[in-house]
Amino acid sequence: MATLWHVPVESVYPRLEPLLPHVSKPVQYVGGEPNATVKDWDETTVRWCLMYPDVYEVGLPNQGVMILYEILNEQPGVLAERTYAVWPDLEELMRRHGVPQFTVEAHRPVAAFDVLGVSFATELGYTNLLTALDLAGVPLHSRERTDEHPVVLAGGHAAFNPEPVADFVDAVVLGDGERAVLEITELVRRFKEEGRPGGRERLLWRLAEQGVYVPGFHEVTYRPDGHIERVRPTREGVPHRVFKRTTTDLDEWPYPKQPLVPVAESVHERMSVEIFRGCTRGCRFCQAGMITRPVRERSKRGVEDMVRRGLEATGFEEVGLLSLSSADHSEIGEITKGLADRYEGTNTGLSLPSTRVDAFNVDLANELARNGRRSGLTFAPEGGSERIRRVINKTVSERDLIRTVSTAYASGWRQVKLYFMCGLPTETDEDVLRIATMAKEVVRAGRSASGRRDIRCTVSIGGFVPKPHTPFQWAAQADPDTVDARLRALREEIDSDRELGRRIGVRYHDGKPSLIEGLLSRGDRRVGRVIERVWREGGRFDGWNEYFSYERWVRAAAEVLPPLGVDMDWFTTRERTRDEVLPWDHLDSGLDREWLWNDWQDALLAHEQEDCRWTPCFDCGVCPTTGTDIEMGPSGRPMLPITPVRDGSPVPNTAFDAPSGDR
């Protein structure tokens, strides 16, 4: 029987184009971006469709997708195109007129590709994946797919707990994707050249053998009380534990070399360069910092070369130097000065989107603003009081913040934005009210330092969501009523001083979306039924206020979960115990479970943890597990070695039936 691999693949654009005048922002669906790649379908052997499960304006600037897109298209015989979530107005028209989910390059049907690679930066994109699969004509459930359907492969930060979408994805890559996509491509190529022996099942088994997580090859059993009993493989040769992948030398992967330039407005209108990956600051709430360890810096020369090539290829006028805490790069001063010197007198601006108070200095800021651009400064104290900042290991004092902003205001800045979280473990009302005190002190300090009264401070607050693979993975999440009450009290406290209060802007979201994110973040396979129910009842774009419905999620959870022995609170506001099998315990981020538990206990005691870049190794487990050391400058010299010190035994974990050597 002929399969989609043997049928000519044609563009759906002739059917799509008549629909575009009837939808909002039609330009996002037409493609044709500078630096996009369109290859001849018949001249390639392995075809990837890469998806970011949000709209074009959010998805196109995503660095992860852009990097993999370029790496794949550099390979002979390999084709990669992109698809994004379509707005509900176009979805309705596509269903009515029989237009399938399509790629933006050549408007080819997604179902025709070998692999559909989906990058999950946030769990709130899960319903958008289901929409794309359904529009593509791909069965929602992995078990129902045949040899004719693409392999649905998930990655990204949210994929470190893919259990809530285990029924919908075929395979998952943990960690960095640069080498992984090339290995998977070669495996698919060989499989096709051999005549696809054993079909889809055999291909997935080969992926599992190579360290790709295939949820369908792992069985989860539950206890009568709702806890997970164990997770074990159901196929011979499938690993009990799946380990993350780590790209070691970033200079060997200078991507993207030809960044995509959007044809429609996007959330980031700039050319971005990742200057290092990973973080050792140890903020206990930060999943990104934990799962991307260890730190791997790009060299000064590598950064400069990428900036030069990227600007030549795009024409952008702003360069974002990206990382989790960009000012922590060991050569950040030399990098920014070198770039400022090189582009002085041009329209090219530099920015550090992520800056810690204790890593910032005004000389660095002046280099970034040398060409006259002096936008506001953003800092993230995260917690309002000194105590809560010790709990979350955000080692920034109020004195540090005031000193930093005073220097900035004295040097010509007029606006500072402060980012905080509400609902942190052990948080009290007073911890949140201290945010008002800090904001007022920032305004006073700015007026004193600058001699001006047109000083502004913006306070932005997000709801805290405990994440897997962090010390807070055991924590209870604050309920929305508690979060909302504290935020109302904070607003009143800021407004209590009318003269200062009018100079302080407050932006926050209510606690309801955070609770749903918490359900999806720490859920197990049973939560997949909630996701599907929400989607069938119209759930789309849950990360967008205009589409998110808290009531729909609560109703679906109340209908689906109790017959399975659990409820919404089970996954959100319940604190976990030390011995409990967590849904992601069989997925190894490199972090030692005993170390994470001890750090959780330190958090409850408000004990801080040092940054291991500058202190002896505290044995989190990453470096020996991943076979990688912390890699830092200065450029041209050996990287900083790490010598792990083993001084503890792992917490017993009954999640697996693996021999001790496989754990």
Side-chain angles (χ1 to χ4, degrees):
M1 184 178 70
T3 70
L4 286 173
W5 284 303
H6 298 113
V7 174
V9 176
E10 298 178 353
S11 170
V12 304
Y13 197 71
R15 287 183 284 159
L16 173 68
E17 186 178 24
L19 310 182
L20 297 183
H22 306 287
V23 302
S24 61
K25 300 181 181 178
V27 68
Q28 66 185 306
Y29 305 117
V30 301
E33 302 97 341
N35 301 324
T37 301
V38 180
K39 289 189 174 183
D40 188 316
W41 183 271
D42 294 327
E43 294 298 317
T44 58
T45 305
V46 181
R47 295 122 184 176
W48 284 73
C49 177
L50 300 176
M51 181 182 189
Y52 190 88
D54 209 320
V55 288
Y56 177 96
E57 64 191 81
V58 176
L60 183 132
N62 180 263
Q63 287 289 289
V65 171
M66 209 180 293
I67 288 169
L68 300 184
Y69 174 80
E70 190 169 317
I71 288 173
L72 288 166
N73 277 317
E74 280 187 350
Q75 310 307 309
V78 180
L79 174 153
E81 297 186 4
R82 295 162 292 126
T83 191
Y84 303 102
V86 299
W87 281 119
D89 56 359
L90 182 58
E91 179 193 344
E92 192 274 329
L93 290 173
M94 289 169 65
R95 293 187 184 281
R96 190 191 312 169
H97 295 275
V99 178
Q101 182 80 19
F102 56 88
T103 60
V104 295
E105 278 82 3
H107 299 91
R108 289 160 173 153
V110 167
F113 288 76
D114 298 315
V115 183
L116 172 59
V118 187
S119 179
F120 287 117
T122 170
E123 297 85 357
L124 294 176
Y126 289 161
T127 52
N128 287 347
L129 169 64
L130 300 193
T131 300
L133 291 173
D134 193 53
L135 286 173
V138 176
L140 295 188
H141 298 106
S142 174
R143 65 179 179 272
E144 297 172 359
R145 295 173 195 147
T146 69
D147 294 352
E148 296 186 353
H149 299 117
V151 170
V152 181
L153 177 72
H157 287 183
F160 273 81
N161 177 28
E163 296 303 282
V165 289
D167 289 340
F168 313 124
V169 301
D170 297 309
V172 181
V173 170
L174 302 181
D176 298 333
E178 288 92 342
R179 292 190 187 278
V181 294
L182 296 181
E183 294 170 5
I184 293 169
T185 296
E186 185 56 31
L187 191 151
V188 172
R189 189 202 310 274
R190 291 198 307 269
F191 175 73
K192 295 177 72 174
E193 288 173 349
E194 293 166 4
R196 306 180 187 89
R200 182 184 194 85
E201 183 90 353
R202 183 68 177 179
L203 175 58
L204 293 175
W205 184 82
R206 288 188 182 185
L207 288 170
E209 266 197 321
Q210 296 300 313
V212 175
Y213 177 48
V214 178
F217 292 166
H218 285 74
E219 178 186 57
V220 183
T221 55
Y222 303 92
R223 298 176 181 174
D225 62 3
H227 289 84
I228 294 174
E229 176 68 34
R230 64 185 177 186
V231 182
R232 63 177 180 180
T234 58
R235 301 287 194 283
E236 185 178 351
V238 173
H240 290 78
R241 288 181 74 80
V242 178
F243 296 87
K244 79 168 182 180
R245 295 161 181 265
T246 302
T247 298
T248 54
D249 187 348
L250 293 188
D251 283 337
E252 292 183 359
W253 301 90
Y255 296 93
K257 302 172 185 175
Q258 303 278 319
L260 294 166
V261 180
V263 293
E265 183 180 1
S266 66
V267 292
H268 297 305
E269 300 284 349
R270 67 185 179 213
M271 197 277 290
S272 299
V273 173
E274 183 184 29
I275 63 174
F276 72 88
R277 192 173 296 178
C279 185
T280 52
R281 287 283 190 168
C283 298
R284 294 174 173 128
F285 58 85
C286 182
Q287 184 190 47
M290 293 289 172
I291 64 177
T292 60
R293 291 181 176 198
V295 166
R296 290 143 288 152
E297 290 189 350
R298 201 181 299 277
S299 70
K300 177 176 178 288
R301 176 65 179 272
V303 172
E304 291 171 345
D305 287 347
M306 287 188 66
V307 170
R308 174 182 54 78
R309 285 196 305 265
L311 289 176
E312 291 172 354
T314 62
F316 280 127
E317 294 186 347
E318 181 181 349
V319 178
L321 303 177
L322 304 185
S323 76
L324 291 174
S325 183
S326 298
D328 280 346
H329 193 291
S330 60
E331 297 181 288
I332 191 64
E334 293 90 336
I335 289 172
T336 53
K337 184 180 187 307
L339 292 174
D341 288 344
R342 180 167 192 157
Y343 297 104
E344 188 169 16
T346 72
N347 293 324
T348 302
L350 304 174
S351 65
L352 297 183
S354 176
T355 307
R356 287 177 59 103
V357 170
D358 50 353
F360 176 88
N361 63 72
V362 77
D363 292 334
L364 173 62
N366 285 334
E367 293 292 357
L368 295 170
R370 196 194 295 183
N371 68 354
R373 298 184 186 185
R374 193 161 289 212
S375 57
L377 298 173
T378 300
F379 301 107
E382 308 290 1
S385 70
E386 299 276 0
R387 186 199 70 83
I388 200 67
R389 288 195 293 277
R390 289 195 301 271
V391 169
I392 65 177
N393 206 45
K394 189 78 173 187
T395 53
V396 175
S397 70
E398 187 168 330
R399 183 172 58 185
D400 290 337
L401 176 67
I402 298 304
R403 181 172 58 246
T404 297
V405 298
S406 295
T407 305
Y409 283 129
S411 300
W413 273 268
R414 295 289 171 264
Q415 183 165 331
V416 166
K417 181 177 180 180
L418 304 178
Y419 181 79
F420 298 89
M421 287 184 290
C422 183
L424 292 161
T426 78
E427 181 184 273
T428 65
D429 294 351
E430 180 58 29
D431 292 320
V432 177
L433 294 179
R434 286 291 302 176
I435 295 173
T437 304
M438 184 182 292
K440 292 174 184 177
E441 285 301 314
V442 165
V443 174
R444 292 191 186 101
R447 288 177 171 179
S448 175
S450 67
R452 302 172 60 111
R453 300 191 65 80
D454 60 337
I455 298 298
R456 287 196 58 80
C457 175
T458 299
V459 172
S460 181
I461 309 172
F464 168 68
V465 179
K467 293 287 185 176
H469 305 281
T470 72
F472 289 162
Q473 64 184 357
W474 289 280
Q477 185 172 356
D479 65 86
D481 290 341
T482 298
V483 171
D484 293 347
R486 287 174 179 166
L487 292 177
R488 286 194 300 270
L490 173 62
R491 177 76 266 185
E492 293 171 1
E493 180 66 19
I494 290 174
D495 291 341
S496 65
D497 186 324
R498 294 183 60 186
E499 203 278 324
L500 286 176
R502 65 189 182 91
R503 308 303 303 175
I504 302 171
V506 181
R507 300 174 184 171
Y508 60 84
H509 300 290
D510 63 50
K512 293 177 180 178
S514 296
L515 192 76
I516 302 308
E517 184 181 343
L519 170 70
L520 301 176
S521 173
R522 292 193 292 173
D524 56 35
R525 296 188 180 188
R526 293 170 288 191
V527 173
R529 303 189 192 186
V530 180
I531 297 170
E532 184 171 350
R533 175 69 65 87
V534 167
W535 176 78
R536 292 192 182 281
E537 293 181 359
R540 308 288 192 274
F541 291 99
D542 291 295
W544 294 74
N545 290 336
E546 58 264 48
Y547 292 110
F548 174 77
S549 169
Y550 179 71
E551 291 72 23
R552 182 162 49 211
W553 280 97
V554 170
R555 183 173 63 250
E559 293 170 354
V560 169
L561 294 178
L564 303 175
V566 290
D567 57 16
M568 176 87 80
D569 291 344
W570 172 270
F571 294 109
T572 56
T573 58
R574 176 182 66 90
E575 184 171 330
R576 278 66 167 166
T577 62
R578 176 175 183 167
D579 297 331
E580 181 174 342
V581 177
L582 303 175
W584 52 89
D585 272 342
H586 58 298
L587 305 174
D588 199 322
S589 63
L591 294 159
D592 183 75
R593 197 177 195 268
E594 172 78 354
W595 178 81
L596 285 171
W597 175 263
N598 289 337
D599 206 35
W600 167 230
Q601 301 309 296
D602 284 344
L604 296 176
L605 297 172
H607 290 167
E608 296 174 336
Q609 178 73 268
E610 297 288 344
D611 184 335
C612 68
R613 266 179 296 184
W614 320 113
T615 61
C617 173
F618 47 68
D619 199 21
C620 75
V622 167
C623 290
T625 301
T626 60
T628 309
D629 285 342
I630 293 174
E631 298 179 356
M632 295 171 48
S635 298
R637 299 185 188 176
M639 298 300 186
L640 181 69
I642 288 295
T643 304
V645 179
R646 286 293 181 188
D647 59 354
S649 57
V651 174
N653 189 342
T654 58
F656 326 107
D657 288 339
S660 60
D662 292 335
R663 293 184 182 175

